[in-house]
Amino acid sequence: MILQPWPRDLGPVICVVGARPNFMKMAPILRAFAGHLPAIPTVLVHTGQHYDKDMNDKLFDDLKLPKPDINLGVGSGSHTVQTAEVMRHFEPVVDEYKPSCVLVVGDVNSTLACSLVAAKKGIKVVHIEAGLRSYDRAMPEEINRLLTDQLADRLYTTELGAQDNLVREGIAAERVCFAGNVMIDSLLHNRSLARPVTQTLADAGLPTDLLDNKDGYAVVTLHRPSNVDQLATLQPLLKVLREISERLPIAFAIHPRTRANIERFGLMELMRSPRIALLPPQGYLEMLGLMSGAKLVLTDSGGLQEETTALGIPCLTLRENTERPITIEQGTNTLVGIDPKVIWQYVNEVLVQGGKSGRVPALWDGKAAERIADDLARWLMATVYP
Ligand code: UD1
């Protein structure tokens, strides 16, 4: 803790959120900044990348995030248009607030766009969840991660291996701080508030005993363009999910991108079954409730790989790579790819043997945001009281 007051000539920290996976990372940071002595002044900017009620408002409520001070209202578009629009709208905000730094989280288009604006204006960039690499540049998020880290002045990591990735890319180790995982701060903070599964089903107008089965149930999420944008990939994935549901009922929370593609390809019938709960994108507390009671999670999400590791629930990741290797080395995650035969084999293994058990990685302890607040305050103060 620092006992001097927050210096007058040190501007606020502009905290940026844009898309769903940013919200659970920012909530504990804002709480820790407000609780720090002295309080770290913030301006919360929402780029508007995600705007649906389901993708946005519900999560803000669940996480008790304050209403953004500024909403850039950017919305959907190609990656180029989305990134450019965020930049165009964010620049005047930086000019107006004269921040001490711009703090970005994760790897979405808004993360890179705001980092670029800040860096070009000579404002410090702080990146939370730095150094994760899938080494797959076909993933838009990988480009966002690489470039954001190159622009960042202070980088906070969630696992030790991330620092090695950064140093290999020429980033000085002194700029990197291993702080732990803010997403797990949110999970631990909200765990006792998780919504019961029967309520979630009732809210969706589904029978409350749909997931009530002696073997438990599986939770499924899919949204990566590489999995859901082509008929040739999406159809076999949905077919194998349908087959799995004959053994283990499924709760499938459908991302808007995935729903649009399922409809466009005429695949909705494949998903209509009394053993599949088709759900809209879920709130944070609903998802926490669904995951906590699950036998197994099948996903291509980054966040769920970490959350299942923290909860000790087996996770089968339907991708060929992951930027979060610690969930495999230490946690409950297994990379299974998208071959239906291989997916079945691993599902069977979980059903027969109970699945992988793991341990919770270092510093995934609910205190990452507090460590970040302490370090950032010290680092910013050093720029005015050298
Ligand atoms: C984005 C992030 C991804 C993150 C994911 C979680 C990038 C590059 N990708 O992917 O890292 O894991 O969010 O959700 O930033 N849409 C809606 N309503 C919304 C938001 C989007 O209908 O509130 C539609 C859009 O019109 C678009 C599609 O969903 O067609 C994809 O949205 P977009 O934000 O471009 O990327 P995501 O796939 O959500």
Side-chain angles (χ1 to χ4, degrees), residues 19-21 49-52 55 76 79 82 107-109 140-141 144 223-224 255-257:
R20 182 172 64 174
Q49 179 177 339
H50 281 177
Y51 45 87
D52 273 5
M55 302 289 282
S76 300
H79 285 263
Q82 200 171 54
D107 56 14
V108 302
N109 287 338
E141 293 83 0
N144 295 340
H223 77 279
R224 294 264 156 242
H255 187 282
R257 168 190 284 276

Side-chain angles (χ1 to χ4, degrees), residues 247-263:
R247 285 283 304 278
L248 200 60
I250 282 178
F252 186 9
I254 311 186
H255 187 282
R257 168 190 284 276
T258 311
R259 178 173 287 277
N261 287 330
I262 292 178
E263 282 165 2

Side-chain angles (χ1 to χ4, degrees), residues 136-190:
D136 174 6
R137 290 203 184 190
M139 270 181 96
E141 293 83 0
E142 184 74 355
I143 308 291
N144 295 340
R145 291 183 201 114
L146 275 161
L147 297 179
T148 303
D149 285 338
Q150 282 297 327
L151 298 170
D153 297 279
R154 191 89 187 122
L155 302 93
Y156 294 102
T157 56
T158 53
E159 52 181 276
L160 273 174
Q163 170 149 341
D164 302 335
N165 296 337
L166 293 168
V167 169
R168 251 196 314 276
E169 288 164 15
I171 292 165
E174 304 80 71
R175 279 160 54 195
V176 183
C177 171
F178 175 40
N181 196 329
V182 287
M183 183 135 68
I184 306 307
D185 290 6
S186 262
L187 184 140
L188 297 176
H189 186 80
N190 288 293

